[in-house]
Amino acid sequence: WLYRASHVVTQAELDAGGNIVNTATVTGTKARSDSDDAAVSITQTPALDVVKSNTGIEDTNDDGLHSAGDAIDYSFAVTNDGNVTLYNVSLTDNLLGAIPLSGLTDQDGDTVADDLAVGATATGTATEILSQAQIDAGAVSNLATGTGTPPSGAPTSDTASNTVPITQTPALDVVKSNTGIE
């Protein structure tokens, strides 16, 4: 006789890693019985995806030029696109520092400080105030790095870069005057 059964793997089993062990026992008449184990190995595949975007340069002083003091607003999205929960999820930017994330949730959908459930996306925003050195350079380039720790193994990370071109508007104003003939 051949019997078949199936088991739906749970997120807790994926996060635990190792093997799922199933034991089948057959008991017959006259006190006969037999059992056998089958083990299925679980492969944990942690993965993180970071997306970074900006709204362009905001002319904060309304002078019609890209100048020091103008701002660039950035948006970030960090998605757990692996098959295990990620813990201690963080996002940093080489110019903006640590980026606070909202929307971090565990597998039950509960808000947590730094966990990211499979398929969930956390978001953050930050603003860069342009310096004269950045205006002189003609562009602002920066790199955001998201990191998360799977239930076992080394942390996983992803990066997203962004370059915002700056329109340089050189201008020179010459004023000439004289005092007349002496």
Side-chain angles (χ1 to χ4, degrees):
W1 293 19
L2 178 63
Y3 292 97
R4 293 181 190 257
S6 62
H7 169 74
V8 176
V9 177
T10 67
Q11 188 62 52
E13 289 169 327
L14 281 168
D15 287 350
N19 294 317
I20 296 176
V21 178
N22 178 275
T23 302
T25 303
V26 176
T27 304
T29 58
K30 297 184 183 178
R32 292 186 166 183
S33 68
D34 190 19
S35 64
D36 195 11
D37 293 338
V40 177
S41 181
I42 293 178
T43 301
Q44 293 181 331
T45 310
L48 204 60
D49 181 49
V50 176
V51 176
K52 178 179 181 179
S53 60
N54 70 74
T55 58
I57 298 174
E58 179 186 347
D59 185 11
T60 57
N61 61 4
D62 293 324
D63 64 359
L65 305 172
H66 291 170
S67 54
D70 286 349
I72 302 171
D73 292 323
Y74 292 97
S75 296
F76 305 87
V78 179
T79 302
N80 179 348
D81 58 357
N83 70 346
V84 292
T85 302
L86 293 175
Y87 304 96
N88 303 313
V89 174
S90 64
L91 181 67
T92 58
D93 186 282
N94 66 321
L95 291 181
L96 304 167
I99 308 297
L101 294 172
S102 61
L104 293 165
T105 61
D106 63 13
Q107 287 308 131
D108 298 324
D110 297 327
T111 301
V112 292
D114 57 4
D115 295 355
L116 193 56
V118 172
T121 299
T123 59
T125 60
T127 300
E128 170 76 8
I129 304 300
L130 296 178
S131 68
Q132 187 59 51
Q134 290 168 321
I135 300 296
D136 293 346
V140 175
S141 294
N142 52 343
L143 182 71
T145 302
T147 304
T149 304
S152 63
T156 186
S157 65
D158 188 41
T159 58
S161 63
N162 193 273
T163 298
V164 178
I166 295 174
T167 303
Q168 296 174 323
T169 312
L172 190 58
D173 188 21
V174 177
V175 176
K176 181 178 179 183
S177 64
N178 66 52
T179 61
I181 301 175
E182 278 188 38

